[in-house]
Amino acid sequence: MFDQCTVHDVFTTDTDDSHEDCEWKVALDVTGKKLTVEIDSGARCNVVSKNTAEAFQSVSAIQQSDAIINGVSGKPMKAFGKINLPCAYKNIKRDVEFQVLDIRRNVNLLGRDECTRFGLIARINSVQLTTDDILSEYSDVVGDEIGCIPGNYEIKIDETVQPVVQAPRPVPAAIRNQVEKELNNLQKCGIIASVTEPTAWVNSLVCVRKKNGRVSIDPTDLNKAVQREHYPMNGIDDVVTGVHGSKYFSTVDANKGYYQIRLTERSSYLTTFNTPFGRFRYLRLPMGLKCAGEVFQREMVNHFGSLDGVEVVVDDMLIYGKILEEHNARLRKVLDKARTINLKLNKGKCVLTQPEVDYVGHRVTGEGLKPTEKRIEAIVHMKDPENHSELETILGMLAYVSKFIPNLSELNAPL
């Protein structure tokens, strides 16, 4: 069977020798004689024209060859013969086999393998846009600041629901200073403002025991009056189809995402909450409102949903691409768009240019979804259930990874 080689299309009979003007040329030394060849990183073999080969017959004779050369246009051509020439470039010396083509054009090509051996090109197996590079270039987008996207959101209320005024809840002495500090910080950041006038709604304060003594409101009563947007929420199953075959992934997270949506003044007073330090109202969308997730999902889809290779699940975005250049171009579009609308991203949660990433409780890879290691460990180390409620918790955890467990319903039947 004939050997099959592929080179760029050199089988034209056009008399215009356009290859003479090619920048990617190099002169090889063949026992003191100069052989000028073009670098062709897509060629699987080396090629010289018959005229060139005959000029070097004093160095080596043309031998018989059974190779068939295919140009990129798909036109095959049987080699006239082959010739082995002792070539030198700088301090590298090699015997190079050239396939000889009987064509009118004086075309000499050095293929991919020999170009690599002579050090003319280098194979790069992986190139990554480093986290430091991207964070430096987009330091105004990725950091610790809280942005504010365009527009004001109006909380829709069922006016037939009676407003409720909650008394201030006591704050444990151990975190009282932290809570006061956090309230002051939220005022400085323009997230909340103090309230002195009467308001129809007054919600309770909720304290989360974290490093910064995070605060929020308990809108249990207010949520009875809030009308939901009923905007469709994306899930992990909506992501699977698009990412199949991708090799590069990044995830970015909106920094305190809900706080980046400004409320109208009327809506702001609905979020008034009581504290031992006075009353405050949210100027931005607070966590806990039953419409908050849907509102933020809608805004993110409006701004980023039309971008190729981008998936949005509330404040988490996944960027993917089949090749590095495609992925990087898509990532830049996301970051440029975030810069344009003043959306700030959480630096600590950005994971850039990886072969696999964790996203919405799953491991996203080019081959599909996998369960995350954290979720597997959580299931493995769960204690045996001792009551009905704990059993429901275990069944819920298993249901979340049901797609990875064959015949789960049969395994769960005794439970």
Side-chain angles (χ1 to χ4, degrees):
M1 179 177 289
F2 292 146
D3 293 332
Q4 298 278 336
C5 293
T6 302
V7 298
H8 285 184
D9 197 356
V10 296
F11 308 128
T12 177
T13 56
D14 196 352
T15 57
D16 177 20
D17 195 0
S18 59
H19 284 70
E20 290 299 318
D21 297 325
C22 178
E23 295 181 36
W24 300 100
K25 292 183 179 180
V26 64
L28 302 178
D29 181 90
V30 183
T31 62
K33 298 178 67 174
K34 177 181 172 183
L35 171 60
T36 302
V37 294
E38 296 176 19
I39 297 174
D40 189 344
S41 61
R44 295 172 55 192
C45 62
N46 314 296
V47 172
V48 292
S49 61
K50 182 181 177 183
N51 289 340
T52 300
E54 290 176 342
F56 285 93
Q57 283 202 96
S58 60
V59 177
S60 180
I62 299 175
Q63 303 172 13
Q64 183 179 353
S65 173
D66 291 330
I68 294 178
I69 314 298
N70 293 314
V72 293
S73 64
K75 294 187 294 184
M77 183 177 186
K78 188 178 183 303
F80 173 80
K82 63 183 179 181
I83 187 170
N84 287 280
L85 299 175
C87 299
Y89 179 75
K90 295 185 176 179
N91 61 340
I92 301 175
K93 297 180 180 180
R94 291 188 50 77
D95 289 336
V96 181
E97 179 181 275
F98 291 89
Q99 298 296 328
V100 180
L101 295 182
D102 189 4
I103 54 178
R104 294 174 58 185
R105 298 180 62 189
N106 191 29
V107 176
N108 307 315
L109 303 177
L110 194 65
R112 175 177 60 234
D113 292 342
E114 290 299 337
C115 285
T116 303
R117 292 170 184 138
F118 277 112
L120 300 170
I121 61 174
R123 181 182 296 277
I124 301 176
N125 295 317
S126 64
V127 177
Q128 288 195 1
L129 184 63
T130 67
T131 300
D132 289 342
D133 290 340
I134 199 70
L135 294 181
S136 175
E137 183 177 352
Y138 290 91
S139 58
D140 59 319
V141 176
V142 185
D144 300 322
E145 296 181 5
I146 301 174
C148 187
I149 65 177
N152 299 324
Y153 177 66
E154 176 77 25
I155 301 174
K156 285 77 174 178
I157 291 292
D158 181 355
E159 300 293 347
T160 64
V161 178
Q162 188 69 24
V164 176
V165 175
Q166 294 283 358
R169 291 177 180 174
V171 175
I175 62 171
R176 187 181 178 92
N177 290 338
Q178 287 182 321
V179 170
E180 185 177 17
K181 182 178 179 181
E182 178 64 7
L183 290 172
N184 291 334
N185 182 55
L186 290 175
Q187 288 186 84
K188 291 178 182 178
C189 294
I191 306 301
I192 63 174
S194 63
V195 178
T196 55
E197 64 267 41
T199 57
W201 288 91
V202 180
N203 304 277
S204 297
L205 172 71
V206 175
C207 305
V208 181
R209 192 183 290 268
K210 288 192 173 183
K211 291 181 179 180
N212 61 352
R214 195 181 75 189
V215 301
S216 186
I217 61 171
D218 178 1
T220 301
D221 295 311
L222 179 61
N223 276 337
K224 296 175 182 177
V226 172
Q227 296 178 331
R228 286 180 53 192
E229 299 289 332
H230 295 289
Y231 189 86
M233 303 292 287
N234 290 344
I236 194 64
D237 292 333
D238 301 311
V239 175
V240 179
T241 303
V243 305
H244 182 72
S246 296
K247 295 183 178 179
Y248 298 94
F249 301 91
S250 290
T251 57
V252 296
D253 179 88
N255 190 30
K256 298 183 179 179
Y258 294 175
Y259 287 173
Q260 302 198 48
I261 295 181
R262 184 185 292 110
L263 293 175
T264 64
E265 185 174 14
R266 173 182 174 275
S267 296
S268 177
Y269 281 101
L270 294 174
T271 68
T272 299
F273 60 98
N274 237 330
T275 80
F277 315 101
R279 286 182 301 140
F280 300 88
R281 61 187 172 97
Y282 274 90
L283 305 176
R284 308 288 182 87
L285 184 66
M287 293 173 284
L289 287 184
K290 67 180 183 181
C291 64
E294 297 166 354
V295 171
F296 198 82
Q297 175 78 26
R298 183 184 64 194
E299 292 301 315
M300 293 290 281
V301 170
N302 286 344
H303 291 294
F304 297 95
S306 62
L307 299 181
D308 291 333
V310 179
E311 299 290 343
V312 178
V313 178
V314 194
D315 57 350
D316 293 321
M317 281 188 285
L318 172 71
I319 302 98
Y320 55 90
K322 293 184 178 180
I323 60 175
L324 186 64
E325 292 77 11
E326 179 183 61
H327 165 274
N328 288 353
R330 291 172 171 178
L331 177 59
R332 288 185 180 279
K333 286 183 178 179
V334 168
L335 295 173
D336 287 337
K337 183 67 175 180
R339 177 180 281 161
T340 300
I341 65 173
N342 194 30
L343 179 77
K344 303 300 183 182
L345 303 176
N346 189 328
K347 181 177 180 180
K349 293 185 178 181
C350 286
V351 179
L352 306 181
T353 323
Q354 299 295 320
E356 297 181 357
V357 291
D358 288 345
Y359 185 64
V360 197
H362 291 76
R363 189 73 173 171
V364 180
T365 74
E367 290 73 40
L369 296 178
K370 300 178 182 178
T372 63
E373 292 297 326
K374 288 184 178 179
R375 189 165 294 276
I376 293 174
E377 289 180 10
I379 294 174
V380 169
H381 292 100
M382 288 186 74
K383 69 175 184 177
D384 293 341
E386 297 179 356
N387 53 54
H388 188 267
S389 177
E390 291 179 0
L391 176 59
E392 285 184 331
T393 299
I394 289 180
L395 292 175
M397 291 280 284
L398 292 174
Y400 196 82
V401 294
S402 60
K403 62 175 68 67
F404 309 112
I405 308 175
N407 305 317
L408 178 61
S409 60
E410 296 178 15
L411 295 172
N412 276 350
L415 299 179

